[in-house]
Amino acid sequence: MTEINLNYQSKDLREIYFGEGHQKYFFGPDTKRQSWMLVIALVLYPFFLVYSIQLEDNWLMILGTIYLGLVMYDFQRKTRPIIYWKKSVEAFLERVDNNPEHRLVFNEENVTFIQGEAETLLQWSIIKRASINADYIGLTADSNLLFPKNSMTNKEFDELKKIVKRKVAQVIDN
C-alpha cells in the first residue's frame, strides 16, 4: 500500500482545467462558430428590419426574426454544457481550497482519495479511462479524480503512473 500526501495548489488545477480556454462562452475553442454567427446576426438584424419595414413585407421580418432566434438557440445550446461544467469545476476548486488535507492511497486492488473528511474509494476494475499527461494524471469513473504532478514528488508521480498503466484498461498517454 502506497500513500501520497498531495499538496494541491488551486492555481495548478486552474491551469489544467482552464488552460486551453474551454471555459470561454464567447469565441472559445468550442463556441467560435456560434459566436461569429451570433455577432453577424445581431449586426445585420436591425438593417434587415428597416429594409422589411420599407418594403412593407411582414414575411421578411418574420423570417429574419426566426433566423435570429435559431442562431441564438444554437449559441445557447452550445454554451449551456460549458456553463454547467465551469460551475462544477469552480465548486471542486472551492472544496480543494477549503480542505487542507489531501491524500492518495493505492494498492493492487483499489485507489482511495481522501479529501478532508470525504473519502472516495475506487476499485481499479471500475475505472473506465485514465489520462496521463506531463502535468497530471486523471482517472475517469463514476467520480473523476485529477492528480497534478506539482502536488507530489517526481518519484511518487512515476510510481502512480506505472500502476495506472498496469491497472487501467484504456490509458491515454500524451
Side-chain angles (χ1 to χ4, degrees), residues 25-116:
Y25 308 132
F26 293 100
F27 301 105
D30 300 328
T31 60
K32 194 174 287 184
R33 184 184 74 77
Q34 285 79 11
S35 297
W36 279 114
M37 292 295 290
L38 183 62
V39 167
I40 291 169
L42 288 173
V43 167
L44 292 179
Y45 187 69
F47 297 109
F48 188 77
L49 279 179
V50 169
Y51 181 71
S52 64
I53 290 172
Q54 287 175 351
L55 289 178
E56 296 179 5
D57 190 359
N58 291 337
W59 284 105
L60 278 177
M61 187 181 305
I62 292 170
L63 289 175
T65 305
I66 289 172
Y67 177 72
L68 179 64
L70 289 173
V71 169
M72 290 173 68
Y73 172 76
D74 186 39
F75 180 78
Q76 178 263 342
R77 180 189 57 82
K78 196 70 170 179
T79 57
R80 183 183 294 161
I82 296 170
I83 292 168
Y84 290 136
W85 172 78
K86 186 175 179 181
K87 284 182 182 180
S88 69
V89 169
E90 291 294 340
F92 168 71
L93 292 175
E94 187 175 319
R95 282 195 314 270
V96 166
D97 287 338
N98 292 336
N99 291 320
E101 178 191 10
H102 299 91
R103 290 183 299 139
L104 176 66
V105 180
F106 59 90
N107 56 24
E108 292 295 320
E109 290 85 35
N110 56 44
V111 59
T112 306
F113 178 61
I114 303 164
Q115 184 178 18

Side-chain angles (χ1 to χ4, degrees), residues 127-132 137-140 164 168 170-173:
I127 297 175
K128 300 171 188 158
R129 186 177 63 227
S131 176
I132 298 176
I137 295 175
L139 303 177
T140 304
V164 167
V168 178
Q170 184 181 358
V171 177
I172 301 167
D173 196 358

Side-chain angles (χ1 to χ4, degrees), residues 102-173:
H102 299 91
R103 290 183 299 139
L104 176 66
V105 180
F106 59 90
N107 56 24
E108 292 295 320
E109 290 85 35
N110 56 44
V111 59
T112 306
F113 178 61
I114 303 164
Q115 184 178 18
E117 298 294 319
E119 187 172 305
T120 305
L121 175 69
L122 297 174
Q123 300 291 327
W124 287 113
S125 60
I126 66 167
I127 297 175
K128 300 171 188 158
R129 186 177 63 227
S131 176
I132 298 176
N133 193 317
D135 298 326
Y136 65 89
I137 295 175
L139 303 177
T140 304
D142 294 334
S143 59
N144 299 332
L145 300 174
L146 183 70
F147 307 111
K149 184 176 183 175
N150 295 342
S151 66
M152 60 187 92
T153 65
N154 287 337
K155 180 182 176 191
E156 292 169 336
F157 186 78
D158 291 337
E159 192 174 331
L160 180 60
K161 188 187 329 183
K162 287 177 187 174
I163 196 163
V164 167
K165 284 183 177 180
R166 254 192 0 255
K167 293 293 185 177
V168 178
Q170 184 181 358
V171 177
I172 301 167
D173 196 358

